[in-house]
Amino acid sequence: MSSYKQPSIYNALCAVTKSPWFAYSTIAVLQAKLMLWIWEYRDLTPGDASSYHMKSLSWLDIGRGDLIWSPMYTAFLAVLRSIINDPFWVTVVAQISIAISVSLLFLVLLRRLLPEHIAWLVAVWWVVLPINFDTVYNAHLFSALFPLALFVVAASHKTVIGRGVVLAGLLLTAVLVRTEYFAIFALWLVVTVAYEIYLLRSGSRYARPKLFFIGYGLPMLSTLLVISIFYARAETRYPEIIEDINSKSSLYVCQNYAYNRKQQGDSWSGDPWSECQSLIERDFGRKEVTFPQAFLLNPRRVFEHIWWNIKLIPGGTQLAMFNRYAGDTSPDFMRAGRSSLVWWPFMVMLGLSLFAIVKNFLLPVTVKGKDWVIRNRLTWLLMALTALSVVVVMVMVRPRPSYMFPYTMFLMALTGLGLQQLIESLKLDHIVHYIIPPAAIALITCLPSYYTAGYVDHFGNRGQGWRDLYRQIAPGIDRGTMPSPAE
């Protein structure tokens, strides 16, 4: 009798594990539960967060926005602010909605790249890490939505239209979200041109001028239209906008370079965020320099900056993947958890990733049923190029997890691919199918909210002092008498 029950139970559990309803609902509920009570214990964030809120007021007050500092994010905040008047609740709603959206979209991608049960496990890994949902500034996690959506497009539509949408989307992301995506756009442009030439020379029936125009022309025209709309409503236009771009680049160099020098024990005693110009002037002879200018003026100091960041990459990767780092120097600007034990899961992750690369991308894939790896090779390449561009940012700026989300997602997906290969070789697939449904119930039931009375924010503070201060002074502020945020 048991010989008949075993397969039926196994088949039922397999059906549950593979079900999209099970996967997406459990991930959404788990992420929501971890963020429960965020409005009771997390405070308003000073610094960049308040700047983004002020820029969003430009969209509401005068219908214009800043085209340099994440215009898509400030427009998103403006939409929320038009519905919710309280900036605190705008921040809370933004953080919850962005975190859940990223988690679900990441699961969509994973289910296209990996078997359903492995995709769910990797998605849970992403969801439970506070470094992902408890970000200092929501703008960083918001920016991860765009490359993630393009990864999904690449994995879902392996046609000229899909490739065209990805290319146009990368340009849109570079202009309206984060400028560093220009590098990914350039790399993917080279890949797509080479691929289309290959199809043309191979005589593929898909290599036709009409399809090229539809696949690349229409998405690119749509992107240029959206960019034109934002540009028409921009506070600053050409040629002044070039100066703003250089100022933004100089500020990044200034603050990150100063923070690195402080960590290295430099005798300079200023504040990296507000007084970094004096250090830049000391080392480079000017108060403002872009990265190329700094390299030409004092290459030795730039090499020291780069080498320091390279040494921080293992810690930054550990923090991004496990919410802890090993070592004496934090790769982040904010307080972060430290543990020497993180080396063990970190080495396992590296081993599984290397195993996946060798078995699936360096050796011929001949195992029956693994054609999904071959079909998704362009998607994996897109993710790898994006991760590579993030590595460049890590080296030039800093390996801070908030700057590394596409890189983190790529490594997690790669680890999942290696894990699947290992599970199959050990013939443990059936055990994973048995475990996942009860594990989901246990996680949702037993895992507590991250936000409790003991929550300490990224600046080492407890309570909601900034929120309380704002609510005290807000009734006395007349926005009609304030200078326009655009001025």
Side-chain angles (χ1 to χ4, degrees):
M1 188 172 182
S2 60
S3 62
Y4 293 98
K5 285 186 178 180
Q6 182 77 359
S8 64
I9 294 174
Y10 174 71
N11 290 336
L13 291 174
C14 279
V16 170
T17 302
K18 294 180 178 180
S19 167
W21 289 103
F22 165 81
Y24 293 115
S25 61
T26 51
I27 290 298
V29 170
L30 183 60
Q31 187 71 88
K33 174 153 189 207
L34 284 168
M35 302 186 75
L36 195 64
W37 311 118
I38 182 175
W39 52 87
E40 292 289 340
Y41 301 108
R42 172 143 177 173
D43 201 3
L44 283 170
T45 306
D48 288 356
S50 58
S51 175
Y52 286 124
H53 276 278
M54 288 300 295
K55 292 179 186 302
S56 73
L57 294 179
S58 293
W59 292 108
L60 294 175
D61 292 348
I62 61 175
R64 293 186 178 276
D66 190 319
L67 199 60
I68 304 301
W69 294 91
S70 301
M72 194 71 80
Y73 177 65
T74 54
F76 168 69
L77 287 181
V79 172
L80 289 181
R81 190 66 185 269
S82 67
I83 302 170
I84 308 169
N85 189 48
D86 189 340
F88 174 75
W89 279 104
V90 168
T91 303
V92 169
V93 171
Q95 186 163 348
I96 294 175
S97 61
I98 293 170
I100 293 178
S101 297
V102 170
S103 297
L104 291 177
L105 198 55
F106 189 35
L107 179 58
V108 173
L109 174 65
L110 292 169
R111 285 174 65 88
R112 282 156 175 76
L113 299 179
L114 305 170
E116 293 88 346
H117 55 296
I118 301 298
W120 187 85
L121 289 174
V122 176
V124 169
W125 180 13
W126 170 273
V127 164
V128 299
L129 293 178
I131 199 74
N132 295 328
F133 64 82
D134 188 45
T135 52
V136 184
Y137 303 116
N138 292 331
H140 294 139
L141 189 58
F142 178 84
S143 69
L145 277 169
F146 293 82
L148 183 54
L150 296 177
F151 297 159
V152 172
V153 172
S156 304
H157 303 282
K158 303 172 182 67
T159 62
V160 64
I161 294 178
R163 295 189 293 274
V165 169
V166 170
L167 186 65
L170 288 173
L171 178 61
L172 182 74
T173 304
V175 176
L176 299 181
V177 183
R178 296 192 73 88
T179 55
E180 53 263 36
Y181 284 102
F182 273 113
I184 312 170
F185 169 74
L187 289 172
W188 192 243
L189 177 61
V190 173
V191 169
T192 52
V193 169
Y195 188 72
E196 300 303 344
I197 291 175
Y198 163 76
L199 290 179
L200 188 63
R201 290 186 173 180
S202 64
S204 172
R205 63 190 179 92
Y206 298 108
R208 291 182 293 173
K210 184 178 179 180
L211 288 178
F212 290 156
F213 174 76
I214 295 173
Y216 288 97
L218 293 183
M220 194 61 69
L221 287 174
S222 301
T223 290
L224 294 176
L225 177 61
V226 173
I227 293 173
S228 298
I229 293 172
F230 272 83
Y231 181 77
R233 311 304 302 177
E235 297 169 357
T236 307
R237 302 178 190 175
Y238 184 83
E240 291 81 6
I241 197 170
I242 302 300
E243 183 179 345
D244 288 350
I245 293 173
N246 289 333
S247 296
K248 178 184 178 181
S249 177
S250 299
L251 181 62
Y252 275 147
V253 171
C254 185
Q255 293 179 336
N256 285 280
Y257 177 80
Y259 194 88
N260 274 9
R261 296 303 303 181
K262 292 278 283 189
Q263 278 195 325
Q264 295 173 68
D266 194 286
S267 59
W268 179 75
S269 58
D271 180 81
W273 312 118
S274 59
E275 301 172 328
C276 59
Q277 288 84 1
S278 62
L279 178 63
I280 294 296
E281 187 174 23
R282 186 200 75 179
D283 288 352
F284 301 100
R286 302 180 187 176
K287 289 186 177 181
E288 293 185 1
V289 292
T290 62
F291 195 89
Q293 290 171 344
F295 183 81
L296 292 174
L297 291 169
N298 193 339
R300 184 175 67 86
R301 286 298 196 194
V302 172
F303 278 123
E304 289 175 355
H305 173 78
I306 289 174
W307 178 240
W308 183 257
N309 284 337
I310 290 174
K311 291 191 293 183
L312 292 178
I313 286 178
T317 304
Q318 291 165 357
L319 188 58
M321 305 293 283
F322 305 106
N323 211 57
R324 293 287 186 277
Y325 73 95
D328 299 324
T329 305
S330 173
D332 206 344
F333 297 133
M334 307 299 173
R335 56 189 299 274
R338 180 172 172 268
S339 173
S340 59
L341 297 177
V342 78
W343 275 111
W344 293 103
F346 180 66
M347 295 306 294
V348 171
M349 181 271 294
L350 289 181
L352 288 173
S353 297
L354 183 61
F355 181 53
I357 291 172
V358 171
K359 189 162 186 179
N360 294 282
F361 305 111
L362 299 183
L363 298 177
V365 180
T366 57
V367 181
K368 185 178 180 180
K370 295 297 182 297
D371 57 328
W372 48 271
V373 176
I374 299 174
R375 291 199 307 269
N376 286 310
R377 280 190 169 180
L378 270 182
T379 306
W380 283 106
L381 177 59
L382 174 61
M383 295 173 65
L385 291 176
T386 307
L388 179 63
S389 69
V390 173
V391 171
V392 174
V393 173
M394 293 158 63
V395 170
M396 294 175 58
V397 182
R398 191 174 182 84
R400 184 185 183 197
S402 294
Y403 302 157
M404 298 160 47
F405 288 130
Y407 167 88
T408 304
M409 293 171 182
F410 173 66
L411 286 183
M412 283 188 170
L414 203 58
T415 303
L417 186 59
L419 178 63
Q420 170 61 17
Q421 304 287 334
L422 181 63
I423 288 174
E424 285 186 349
S425 64
L426 296 176
K427 302 186 184 305
L428 297 176
D429 239 20
H430 64 288
I431 296 179
V432 178
H433 284 293
Y434 273 122
I435 290 175
I436 285 181
I441 296 173
L443 283 171
I444 293 172
T445 304
C446 303
L447 202 63
S449 168
Y450 181 71
Y451 299 96
T452 65
Y455 172 75
V456 179
D457 69 16
H458 299 278
F459 301 91
N461 303 320
R462 296 177 186 267
Q464 297 175 304
W466 287 106
R467 185 205 65 174
D468 295 339
L469 178 61
Y470 169 80
R471 289 181 173 173
Q472 287 177 13
I473 65 176
I477 298 175
D478 182 4
R479 270 182 58 190
T481 62
M482 294 178 62
S484 168
E487 295 178 0

